[in-house]
Amino acid sequence: MVNVERGRVSAGRSIIAIVAAVSLAAFAAPTAASAGSTTAAGTAVTGRPAPPAPSTSTGFGGAVSSVDASASAVGLEVLRDGGNAVDAAVATAAALGVTEPYSAGIGGGGYLVYFDAATGEVTTIDGRETAPAAMPSDAFIDPATGAPYAFADAVSSGLSVGTPGTLATWEAALDEFGTTSLRDALQPAILLATRGFVVDQTFRDQTLANQARFAAFPDTAELFLPGGDAPKVGKVFKNLDLARTMRQIALGGTEVFYEGPLADEIASIAQDPVTTPGATLPAYAGHLTADDLADYEVLEQDPTHLEYRGLDVYGMAPSSSGGTTVGESLNILENFDLAGDDPAQALHLYLEATAHAFADRNAYVGDPAFVDVPTETLLSQEFADARACVIDPDAASVKPVPPAPLSASGCEAAAAAEHADTENISTTHLSVVDRWGNAVAYTLTIEQTGGSGMTVPGRGFLLNNELTDFSFVPNPADPNIVEPGKRPRSSMSPTIVLDDGEVRFVVGSPGGSMIITTVTQVLVNRIDLGMTLPEAVAAPRASQRNTAAVAAEPAFRSAYETALAAYGHTFSTSAEIGAVAAIEVDDDGLMTAVAEPVRRGGGTGLVVEPAG
């Protein structure tokens, strides 16, 4: 029987069907950080050419979008077999932990936003990593010099490892909103890890970029640098250790991870990192204990909410700054008509809005369990109107701009110190809508590409370096300083947009602090500038995070730099900004699943019943 509110994975057939589909995808589609937009890289293990992996698909019955072909195929089969959006999201995320091990996996955390079509409610799960109970606020200060550790040294160490929240997120989401078990949801990923996936250029490039630090940790080198080199393009990469680990979790539940011997192993490697003889990395000892893992809890909480151009925009509340900063940016832009004939002015206003919103983010947002975050004020239209009041439609503000006082109701601002933002550009995102109209936007990460660089011995997964998202200097005025049990501020911005109570858009991206501007720009492109969703995702990007220069892709600089320089904007080059996975549902129920056509190697958007 099918549950018409949430869906139900049909007994017996579903796992067999998913296994068959993943088997095909694992050997025939480009995977690991990417899939080609229109053509697949390499050939199948059978020798046959790999089939296309479309970046955009349209149709009905459900949709899934991610950066990876095999992961999207997993989610699609769950939807085909009667699973709902949460079932598909968890299965897709687990698969991403296999094919995107440098961006996601059970050693990390993330944020999930869920829309329940039957109740009309939006709920979020905060599965962000937490600082260990024994971690002091000056943990990133070198006692020998009194200065902060070098960022690169802190990343590749036990000091950077926070208590992982990903598995707890999956369990909570399935228990609360899903229709299948974690055991069943993990099966396709277990198969994928066992049989392997075809290495593409992005996976090889990411491995080579981390080769020096991976080589410093023997268990990481053994797994990801076989024979001392990154896996070759076209070869099948298997992770049997990860398959065994996930199989144990599938059989024994999340207690295997959070309370069993595995918890001791995770804590041991964080407290006493094992390095290769002759390695030059300091590999500082961390503070994570088995008790920290046993005490970890996800937080189910209300989303952020605002209205933009008549649409309801829902995002992730603090500890993420994504919902408040995307929301404030859009509220500022509500004061301006962006739909005119001058795209340069629209982009100027977009850049100014995000700069002012970032000033307020840096001044006020942290973990609300430790900081009095003024979420309601930051999302109020009155506060945004005051910010819009100081924006000149014809000239760029001198950056950095100061944050506004929380009492702002006119054109007011106040000076405040800026805090360094060290959030890394890695991470991954998936979007899902099912046949019943339920939706999930889920962004998950291990932080740096390759996380801490440390693989749990014999377990097949990397540990995160999320604690480097904290401010290193323990300034009491900074809302993002280290505190025991605290969640570091994040920019992850999984977003669901409703139109008259029904899903219209599901959007998210990796990209560190540029996630916020990426999601904002895609929404502005689609809602204000008249682009289709595929056009909105493919369009060149720029990111203004209250810095002197705007970070921009080369294509954006080529198209708009001259016009925007006339407003006073200056630019620096960022090769790629974000890697969006999005879905649109139109008034007739037609779903458009959209992933990047080029960025990060391209992604894959799939639908259950293709149009036509």
Side-chain angles (χ1 to χ4, degrees), residues 581-594:
I583 297 170
E584 178 174 351
V585 184
D586 73 9
D587 291 335
D588 296 324
L590 180 69
M591 299 179 185
T592 303
V594 182

Side-chain angles (χ1 to χ4, degrees), residues 133-152:
M135 190 169 189
S137 290
D138 63 354
F140 290 108
I141 300 297
D142 185 345
T145 65
Y149 289 123
F151 178 75

Side-chain angles (χ1 to χ4, degrees), residues 2 47 86 111 128 165 218 221 231 260 287 321 344 362 385 387 410 418 461 481 504 524 536 538 555 563:
V2 173
V86 167
Y111 298 97
R128 181 68 157 158
H287 300 276
S321 65
N362 293 347
D385 293 347
R387 298 308 263 148
E418 285 294 302
F461 65 92
I481 62 170
R504 178 66 70 214
V524 167

